[in-house]
Structure formats: C-alpha cells, structure tokens
Amino acid sequence: MNALWHGFADMGAVERDGAFVIARGDGAYVFDRAGNRYLDATAGLWFANVGHGRGEIADAVAAQLRRIAHYSNFGDITEPATQELAERLAGLAPVPGSKIFFTSGGSDSVDTAAKLARRYWHELGRPGKTILVGRRMAYHGMPAARTVAWDDAKALLALIEEVGAERIAAFFCEPVIGAGGVYPPPEGYLAEVRRICRDHDILFVADEVVTGFGRIGGAWFASSRFALEPDLMTTAKGLTSGYLPMGAVFAAPQVAEPFFAGGVWWRHGYTYGGHAGAAAAALANLDIVEREGLLDAALRLESSLHDQLSVLAAHPRVAEVRSGLGAVAAIQLADPAEGPALVKALRAHGISGRAAGQGAMQVSPAFVMTDEQVAELVDGFSRALNDV
Ligand code: PLP
C-alpha cells in the first residue's frame, strides 16, 4: 500500500511513519480511518469553504453525472451547467461584463492568465510586452518572469524603470499571500500597485485562488473588497469548495474584447476546463454560500481568528501571529524546522494542520467554524506547542 507518491513531501519520512489517512469529513471536522476526530485548521488545502460532507453538493454532482459527466468546451461546444455557472460568476465578478475561462485548478488558472496577458498585448500590436512580474514569497515562479519585494510598491516602480513598461505584460498579485506563509498586504499597498499598473499599461492580475469566493471575508473577492478592478483574476479552490477540481479566470471586458471581436483563434484550453460535473458542484456550492450567509461568517472569523490566536504570539516557540484580513492566519514558528513535529503533536490534540511557507502554521478554516471551535483550535495549538 505504499505506491502513492505524495506532493510536497519527504517520502522517506512518509515511508517511515506511514500516511495520515483522512477517510471522512463533516463541517469543520475530519476523521481518520479509526474514526478519530480532528478539527480541520486548514479546510483541506484552503478550499473547503462550506465545510466537509455536504450531501447537497454530492447530489447535484450525481444528477449531472447521470445526465452527462462532461463533453467539451472547445470550439463552439459547451454544456448547460457550464453556461449557467459562467453567467453566475460574471454576475459576481469585481468588474461588470467580465468573461469567464474555465480551467482544472489554480495552476491552470495562473498558466491561462500568463498566456492570455501575452497574447492580449500581441493582439494590440505590442508583442514586446512579455515579461511577467510576481512578488517574492508569492506562489508564482514563471518563465520570463521577474520578482519584486512583496510589500513595497516602490520596488515595482523601480523594476518598471529598469526593464521598461514596454516589455512588461502583467503583474501577478495575491491580495493576501497564502501558501508563501500568509502575509496580508501592508496598508495601502494593493491600491498603490493597482494604480502603478494602470499608469504603465501593465495588466493587473489578482490571484484569488486562495482569497476568492469569500475567504477574504465580507465580499466574494478581495478585488471587490478593495475595489481593485483587476484586468484578470485567477480562481479555483473555493469555487467548488474542493468538492471537484475546477478553476476559472475572470477577464475584464477590455481584456476580452480583442478575443471576442472576431478573427482571433486562441489555441488554449484544458480537457476538463468547464467540466459539467464540476460546474454542478460549483453551482450547489455557491447556493450554500449565499443561503447560509457565509461571506459574513468569513468576516466574523477574520476578527475571531485575530482576537483568539493572538495569545499564541507569547509562546516561546512562536515568532509572530499573522492575521486580521480574511478567514486566514498563520502562526509563524521561531524555528521553521519544528513544523513537521508540530503537525504530529497537533494530531495528538485533535487538530489537523500543516506548515506553509517557512514554518508558518496555516489557519484557513471552513467558514462554518464557530467561535467556540476557534477556541478549541487555539487550545490544541497551545498544548501541541508545549509538547514539541
Ligand atoms: N495560486 C495560489 C495563490 C495558490 O495558493 C495555489 C495553490 O495553493 C495555486 C495558485 C495553485 O493551485 P492548484 O494547486 O489548484 O493548481
């Protein structure tokens, strides 16, 4: 039973200690094969926004799979669920009139945005604009890319001066850096980099794979909460709450226009982009978010995590706690090498957790997590930190 090669893993350690097998989930909890219960600190990999075990999504998917699982979204072909989802997402988009390009997940969404940005400038007769700019600590490592400091808008200006705006296609920006270790933006940073991009004809790409679909709290997207009006917005994860893999790129009307004007064939797409079963999962997931007021629940979690996790900052093993924007936080270990041991200690105290970035213990719960469960999380973390 050891054929599985895990992602982001020291497989030697997995071979030695065995795998942690999650067999079932219910709301903010998951269960192993023996039936032991764990509070899910991370909502899987940042995605289970509506919580685990939602039969309603399973039923919607089953009904769709019985009609047809998937066919294609290439050329003029599509499926009703996919069309319905695109219309619904366009209605939620931070820029009215956006067009929706479906993918199979977050990496595909970023890949699509990168290709789309370059092709856009090519269509506008500016083929020299090919360089993609990302921020250090962020998720992105792309070809023909440059990086700038994650927290300093002037660093972006300096790079533009160095290489020339005429060579830069797009700037990729996670509104809150997630997998790099949870870094909320400095005050005013997002508005400033947005303005710099607009002033220099550089496409602003909001990577909302983590922050999208409510995780930012109080809005569907960080781009809406901060009025960023992104030229392109990449999403995945919370689109289906992870019930099936799916991503979507939102293209603002001015970016989509050259592709919709006629005569442009964009040879890009994914076999499972717009998968009808995944679209059915997304529609059922969005119904739950709306019906249960989960955008507000994420805003409640924003303050609840900020208030309750702060006590952990005093622990000698903790360097700092980063929180305060969205239903997302990190407990930064003073010694990142202690991450794997802490993950094991957390399990002994009924918490399923993981280290992101460099020893940043990820906290990104399902929006259904109650304030009492946040207290349970903090208690488990304190005990586990004492054990390491
Ligand atoms: N973009 C961001 C900001 C992410 O955090 C991730 C994954 O965590 C991705 C893109 C890639 O998404 P996926 O793993 O679905 O390909």
Side-chain angles (χ1 to χ4, degrees):
M1 283 285 279
N2 281 328
L4 182 63
W5 189 336
H6 300 227
F8 288 87
D10 167 358
M11 283 313 297
V14 179
E15 291 272 274
R16 187 188 63 228
D17 299 342
F20 179 55
V21 183
I22 297 296
R24 192 168 74 79
D26 184 12
Y29 291 100
V30 290
F31 300 81
D32 66 18
R33 272 206 292 229
N36 298 309
R37 192 181 81 165
Y38 305 87
L39 189 58
D40 180 7
T42 60
L45 289 173
W46 323 80
F47 55 68
N49 293 359
V50 300
H52 301 287
R54 295 280 195 164
E56 174 180 345
I57 301 180
D59 292 344
V61 172
Q64 177 62 48
L65 298 191
R66 280 195 193 91
R67 284 191 292 275
I68 185 165
H70 182 45
Y71 194 73
S72 163
N73 278 283
F74 287 3
D76 62 353
I77 306 168
T78 188
E79 296 135 295
T82 315
Q83 284 184 312
E84 186 185 338
L85 180 61
E87 295 304 322
R88 185 137 169 208
L89 295 183
L92 304 178
V95 184
S98 288
K99 305 291 187 189
I100 312 295
F101 193 100
F102 286 114
T103 72
S104 316
S107 304
D108 292 348
S109 292
V110 173
D111 176 55
T112 295
K115 288 185 185 169
L116 185 46
R118 287 177 172 165
R119 181 63 186 263
Y120 169 79
W121 290 117
H122 190 274
E123 289 306 319
L124 263 61
R126 301 173 74 179
K129 282 171 82 69
T130 57
I131 295 175
L132 309 167
V133 181
R135 294 153 77 204
R136 296 192 192 109
M137 319 290 280
Y139 200 80
H140 315 108
M142 294 170 289
R146 298 288 300 261
T147 56
V148 292
W150 71 274
D151 56 350
D152 180 7
K154 291 196 181 54
L156 176 59
L157 268 181
L159 180 81
I160 293 170
E161 250 170 49
E162 183 200 324
V163 303
E166 70 284 359
R167 294 181 56 213
I168 301 179
F171 174 64
F172 284 72
C173 181
E174 284 170 79
V176 176
I177 288 176
V182 184
Y183 291 90
E187 184 78 33
Y189 173 86
L190 294 174
E192 203 173 341
V193 288
R194 180 63 190 101
R195 186 182 49 73
I196 290 169
C197 287
R198 196 173 271 129
D199 290 352
H200 292 86
D201 267 359
I202 293 168
L203 295 183
F204 181 85
V205 184
D207 184 343
E208 299 231 22
V209 168
V210 164
T211 50
F213 296 104
R215 185 153 297 281
I216 198 63
W220 284 101
F221 303 100
S223 293
S224 322
R225 182 162 166 181
F226 294 102
L228 297 179
E229 297 182 346
D231 295 302
L232 292 167
M233 183 173 80
T234 56
T235 69
K237 298 190 190 275
L239 169 56
T240 62
S241 283
Y243 279 75
L244 282 176
M246 182 176 230
V249 176
F250 291 57
Q254 71 278 10
V255 177
E257 200 276 332
F259 298 85
F260 279 67
V264 174
W265 253 84
W266 192 34
R267 287 184 173 77
H268 174 76
Y270 304 93
T271 300
Y272 302 121
H275 188 282
L283 287 164
N285 173 59
L286 297 176
D287 284 347
I288 293 173
V289 174
E290 282 178 353
R291 193 178 65 232
E292 298 186 5
L294 294 184
L295 302 183
D296 290 340
L299 201 56
R300 168 190 53 79
L301 278 168
E302 171 179 299
S303 41
S304 171
L305 292 174
H306 190 59
D307 295 346
Q308 297 203 54
L309 289 174
S310 62
V311 300
L312 297 172
H315 197 284
R317 297 195 179 285
V318 174
E320 65 173 354
V321 175
R322 292 186 287 272
S323 61
L325 185 53
V328 61
I331 300 148
Q332 177 64 53
L333 298 178
D335 179 1
E338 289 183 345
L342 182 61
V343 167
K344 296 238 156 109
L346 281 168
R347 288 175 193 160
H349 292 288
I351 309 283
S352 175
R354 78 184 274 263
Q358 298 293 318
M361 301 307 298
Q362 174 185 337
V363 180
S364 58
F367 304 164
V368 296
M369 185 178 274
T370 63
D371 290 352
E372 292 69 33
Q373 287 169 329
V374 173
E376 188 182 326
L377 189 76
V378 173
D379 187 54
F381 262 100
S382 319
R383 289 169 194 273
L385 282 162
N386 290 337
D387 286 357
V388 171

